[in-house]
Amino acid sequence: MPINAATPRAGGDDGAAARAPRDLEAVYDIPVLVSAVLGRSTMQVSQLLKLGRGAVVELDRKVGDPIDIFVNNRLIARGEVVMIDDTKLGITMTEIVKSDRGG
């Protein structure tokens, strides 16, 4: 007899696999903050106060280096900046970063 989502399996599964897709739908509409970080810089407050219009802040990345992509302040991927419709910037994900969480 074939096993399907409605047939309980040995081991106490109790249909958890059948409920998973439906249960996951509850989180689809939760907003998350996606950030793309081109680079970082550290400076003293006195240097920051001297910055004005047209000032250039040197970042810790080189042209062509991948940018970091964060979701809710957690690094999830790296990618490249792309132009969309000649007016907006976008990101192409080139690498998914594995989570270091143990659970």
Side-chain angles (χ1 to χ4, degrees):
M1 177 169 101
I3 296 175
N4 61 35
T7 304
R9 295 190 222 178
D13 184 32
D14 295 329
R19 288 193 310 269
R22 212 171 346 146
D23 291 346
L24 192 56
E25 287 179 12
V27 300
Y28 287 167
D29 291 330
I30 296 174
V32 294
L33 175 65
V34 178
S35 304
V37 178
L38 297 174
R40 300 179 193 280
S41 182
T42 302
M43 65 179 66
Q44 297 174 345
V45 173
S46 60
Q47 293 172 304
L48 181 66
L49 293 172
K50 291 177 186 175
L51 295 177
R53 185 180 192 105
V56 176
V57 176
E58 185 176 341
L59 302 176
D60 62 351
R61 304 272 173 97
K62 294 179 176 64
V63 172
D65 282 354
I67 61 168
D68 293 334
I69 303 165
F70 291 83
V71 173
N72 287 348
N73 297 317
R74 180 180 302 273
L75 178 65
I76 59 117
R78 291 194 174 83
E80 298 173 353
V81 176
V82 295
M83 181 84 73
I84 301 172
D85 297 331
D86 295 326
T87 60
K88 294 184 180 181
L89 296 176
I91 307 161
T92 299
M93 289 190 193
T94 57
E95 173 190 355
I96 302 298
V97 176
K98 298 217 186 282
S99 174
D100 60 354
R101 295 193 314 181

